[in-house]
Amino acid sequence: MSKVLALSGGVGGAKLALGLSRVLSVGELMIVANTGDDFEHLGLSICPDIDTVLYTLSGLNDSVRGWGVANETWSFMDQLKQLGGESWFQLGDRDLALHIERTRLLQQGHSLSQVTLHVAQRLGIAQAVLPMSDDPVRTTVHTAQGDLPFQHYFVREQCRPVVSGFSFAGATTAKPLPALLECLRSDALEAVIICPSNPFVSIGPMLAIPALREALQATTAPVIAVSPIVGGQALKGPAAKMMAELQLPVTAAAVAEYYGDVLDGFVMDACDASQAGAITAVPVCVTQTVMKSLADREQLARDVLAFAGTLA
Ligand code: FO1
């Protein structure tokens, strides 16, 4: 049974998940990815956050672009554009193989968790990588330009529309993955780590599943979030822009407030140390959270696990 459960969105979350995978033994870590960003595109089942975790743990990821596979080629997209097809969402030639194979296996009746474990194994990943649920949950972003499916907001509209809220279709009826609930209920679990991912659209869809939120509140293991906001900015993605548009202070402290009673501890960057006193609900760990190198990912993983040890 896993000792550590990591909840992850895309890039930032996957970086810490990689760090954790390198400081924990095989079998000690379960990584659960957001599926609120998933969508069906060109007839294919696309799961961006699962794939970012899979590509990061297997070392195939494009670390500059932040998504997809390194050394990618784009012949498929070039040809699709020539034919006048939908080209706003880029699917690289190598990446395409994963979407095609996943879609085929899902159509054969396999669940998303079975397919994800299978792909992880084929990519040589020893850790358990799982979706938060086998049931579809789809994020809608409410904006000044109307309601937008997540990828339309994020990729097609480049996060430009002003955000007023979010909804997560399917969340109230979605069942958390049984393995995830089992992990949260296990006495062996020593820490739940909410990775430095977007609180609203990466972790928000998980918290919108009632049984998952309840299990996070009920687990005896400390639940610790790492702030994705550092020095008033998101290191990647629209979290800071969203906070400003939702009239929230763009601070690490506001992230802790958003997670509320789910949390038992909060990790923030040393450059935000002056805000630590503003968080009174849970203990705070102040450390270097910016992960530029592999050593940074491993060090943050060690720091978060040591902090969890103090809360147990
Ligand atoms: N992000 C983009 O900004 N543009 C793209 O064309 C794009 C394609 C894409 C294809 C497969 C995949 O797994 C991810 C992809 N992403 C793309 C990233 C993704 O849309 C977002 O980073 C996540 O949904 C946010 O975590």
Side-chain angles (χ1 to χ4, degrees):
M1 190 52 80
S2 307
K3 272 169 53 175
V4 177
L5 169 64
L7 305 180
S8 177
V11 186
K15 282 184 181 177
L16 182 54
L18 176 64
L20 288 164
S21 76
R22 293 177 60 90
V23 302
L24 291 163
S25 304
V26 170
E28 289 186 332
L29 176 65
M30 177 185 284
I31 303 161
V32 167
N34 168 46
T35 57
D37 296 10
D38 295 8
F39 76 136
E40 285 66 44
H41 184 63
L42 307 177
L44 299 171
S45 298
I46 316 280
C47 305
D49 286 353
I50 289 178
D51 293 354
T52 297
V53 171
L54 291 173
Y55 288 146
T56 302
L57 262 75
S58 60
L60 290 174
N61 63 307
D62 186 309
S63 56
V64 178
R65 204 170 49 241
W67 50 269
V69 185
N71 303 315
E72 187 58 280
T73 57
W74 302 95
S75 301
F76 165 74
M77 285 311 298
D78 291 344
Q79 196 67 20
L80 186 64
K81 269 181 224 158
Q82 188 166 6
L83 295 173
E86 253 190 280
S87 58
W88 59 272
F89 194 81
Q90 305 283 309
L91 293 173
D93 300 334
R94 298 182 73 197
D95 187 29
L96 203 48
L98 171 48
H99 308 305
I100 290 173
E101 183 60 0
R102 173 168 43 225
T103 305
R104 185 184 74 83
L105 291 169
L106 289 172
Q107 284 173 355
Q108 276 186 354
H110 299 284
S111 65
L112 182 58
S113 54
Q114 287 169 335
V115 176
T116 306
L117 287 171
H118 165 75
V119 173
Q121 191 239 324
R122 296 295 303 189
L123 294 181
I125 299 168
Q127 288 74 20
V129 179
L130 292 163
M132 62 195 194
S133 173
D134 275 332
D135 302 323
V137 175
R138 297 289 179 265
T139 300
T140 297
V141 185
H142 303 292
T143 79
Q145 292 176 25
D147 293 350
L148 296 171
F150 180 79
Q151 295 298 342
H152 286 206
Y153 163 80
F154 193 93
V155 176
R156 203 187 64 192
E157 303 301 327
Q158 303 276 292
C159 306
R160 279 184 296 257
V162 173
V163 168
S164 56
F166 310 94
S167 53
F168 308 103
T172 50
T173 51
K175 290 180 288 301
L177 215 63
L180 170 57
L181 288 183
E182 210 182 307
C183 176
L184 282 166
R185 289 176 188 147
S186 155
D187 291 338
L189 189 66
E190 294 178 8
V192 179
I193 298 166
I194 300 180
C195 290
S197 296
N198 187 308
F200 310 106
V201 293
S202 297
I203 306 301
M206 302 190 199
L207 301 178
I209 300 176
L212 181 47
R213 191 183 181 101
E214 283 157 24
L216 284 166
Q217 286 163 331
T219 183
T220 53
V223 178
I224 296 164
V226 181
S227 178
I229 299 291
V230 174
Q233 292 186 332
L235 294 172
K236 183 112 182 127
K241 179 177 180 284
M242 287 174 170
M243 290 178 90
E245 290 167 359
L246 294 169
Q247 320 292 328
L248 295 169
V250 186
T251 60
V255 174
E257 178 111 350
Y258 169 83
Y259 285 130
D261 64 0
V262 165
L263 288 193
D264 299 302
F266 191 68
V267 179
M268 68 196 321
D269 193 78
C271 80
D272 292 318
S274 61
Q275 289 168 38
I279 302 169
T280 51
V282 291
V284 175
C285 165
V286 177
T287 187
Q288 304 292 335
T289 65
V290 180
M291 295 174 281
K292 291 204 175 113
S293 65
L294 187 55
D296 294 339
R297 290 159 175 71
E298 292 172 359
Q299 189 53 49
L300 180 58
R302 281 190 212 98
D303 290 347
V304 176
L305 293 172
F307 179 50
T310 68
L311 303 174

